[in-house]
Amino acid sequence: MERRPLLAGNWKMHTTIAEAEALARAIAQTAIPADRDVMLAPPFTALAAVGRVLAGSPVLLGAQNVCWEEKGAFTGEISPAMLQDVGCRQVIIGHSERRHIFGETDGMINKRVAGAARFGLVPVLCIGETLEERESGQTFQVLERQLRNGLLDIKLASGKELVVAYEPVWAIGTGKTATVEQAQETHHFVRNLLIDMYEKNIATQMRILYGGSVNPDNVDALMSQDDVDGALVGGAALKADSFCSIINFKKSA
Ligand code: PGA
């Protein structure tokens, strides 16, 4: 099954509106190979401005989180309808910083996935183990719990309606990337879980991104793994030249 690679930039809590516009413009102006998708997830405050910059370009707009309700008394939250209103097509959910710094639970993340899906946004569901969990041999158990709980009662008609991002917590922002063997082994495990949870043609169509210190030097090897279908990039997505190199990855074998 050929899956269209997705290269996604998670800008986290970086960029003023002017900085976001300049970065988005630089990325949208580079030649993006026609066989892959690119998504930018700026902070909420810059979504509208970046959406305007990206209008007419193939680069997709994404958000970094979403509430499950359409509107109401949910101070500090942003609804799926609001994200649609600014032109978002995808939304990152369950990022490790949301889980570990802000205490988001699998249950909350499941509600966010359901809310996004109900409004036609593609959830990019992030899962990943901590160093302690990896070293104590619990990686697969943790990933299975996060995936099954995060996707509880989520029905999919196609594998294009959801993206999974495997991001080992110990590799995020640390410069310590998973080895290509670790990435492939884990992605393969996640793929098999998805096959168990959904119809095989849906699970094999779904993209599984790797995230955690992806940079222009390691992207080719990571993208050459059978079950690595893209990258969720933090630090290296904040500079146009490094993110554009990542977008232009070449499979090494
Ligand atoms: P990083 O972040 O590329 O800076 O490690 C990845 C992420 O958190 O999505």
Side-chain angles (χ1 to χ4, degrees):
M1 164 76 63
E2 270 297 303
R3 290 175 291 266
R4 227 177 125 74
L6 169 62
L7 294 311
N10 172 12
W11 295 1
K12 308 193 180 184
M13 199 171 71
H14 292 286
T15 71
T16 60
I17 294 174
E19 289 164 350
E21 286 173 325
L23 181 54
R25 198 168 292 122
I27 292 163
Q29 278 168 356
T30 68
I32 296 171
D35 64 350
R36 53 200 71 177
D37 292 329
V38 175
M39 182 269 268
L40 303 180
F44 290 127
T45 47
L47 280 174
V50 169
R52 282 190 290 273
V53 170
L54 298 182
S57 104
V59 179
L60 301 166
L61 185 66
Q64 298 176 21
N65 205 359
V66 66
C67 188
W68 48 86
E69 296 285 348
E70 185 178 354
K71 57 180 157 186
F74 300 96
T75 302
E77 293 286 322
I78 301 284
S79 81
M82 291 169 180
L83 294 185
Q84 266 183 337
D85 196 32
V86 286
C88 284
R89 307 271 294 280
Q90 303 191 337
V91 56
I92 298 167
I93 297 175
H95 188 277
S96 82
E97 287 144 22
R98 298 304 318 169
R99 294 176 188 267
H100 297 290
I101 304 175
F102 298 101
E104 291 199 11
T105 61
D106 283 330
M108 232 184 251
I109 288 162
N110 177 241
K111 282 163 92 171
R112 295 190 193 280
V113 170
R118 195 164 61 243
F119 283 82
L121 293 163
V122 174
V124 178
L125 172 63
C126 302
I127 57 174
E129 82 288 359
T130 62
L131 186 59
E132 198 185 358
E133 288 161 345
R134 178 162 280 268
E135 286 178 345
S136 60
Q138 294 175 70
T139 298
F140 290 162
Q141 221 175 304
V142 169
L143 297 178
E144 177 158 8
R145 191 200 71 226
Q146 292 177 339
L147 201 67
R148 288 196 190 274
N149 292 343
L151 294 177
L152 192 69
D153 294 331
I154 304 294
K155 306 269 181 293
L156 299 173
S158 140
K160 294 186 176 152
E161 294 174 2
L162 183 89
V163 174
V164 173
Y166 167 58
E167 298 203 301
V169 178
W170 46 271
I172 296 178
T174 58
K176 198 174 160 198
T177 323
T179 64
V180 290
E181 292 80 14
Q182 283 170 328
Q184 171 55 25
E185 181 194 34
T186 315
H187 282 228
H188 188 66
F189 172 78
V190 172
R191 177 88 55 209
N192 283 337
L193 268 177
L194 291 168
I195 291 173
D196 188 55
M197 295 164 67
Y198 294 98
E199 279 170 39
K200 190 164 181 188
N201 63 328
I202 292 180
T204 53
Q205 200 182 25
M206 212 180 288
R207 290 176 291 190
I208 307 174
L209 313 184
Y210 169 80
S213 299
V214 174
N215 63 44
D217 296 327
N218 59 27
V219 68
D220 290 357
L222 286 162
M223 290 303 296
S224 304
Q225 304 304 306
D226 283 350
D227 288 291
V228 177
D229 308 315
L232 182 53
V233 187
L238 288 171
K239 292 227 160 54
D241 56 350
S242 60
F243 191 60
C244 290
S245 305
I246 290 171
I247 293 172
N248 283 286
F249 77 86
K250 287 188 185 59
K251 287 197 182 195
S252 42

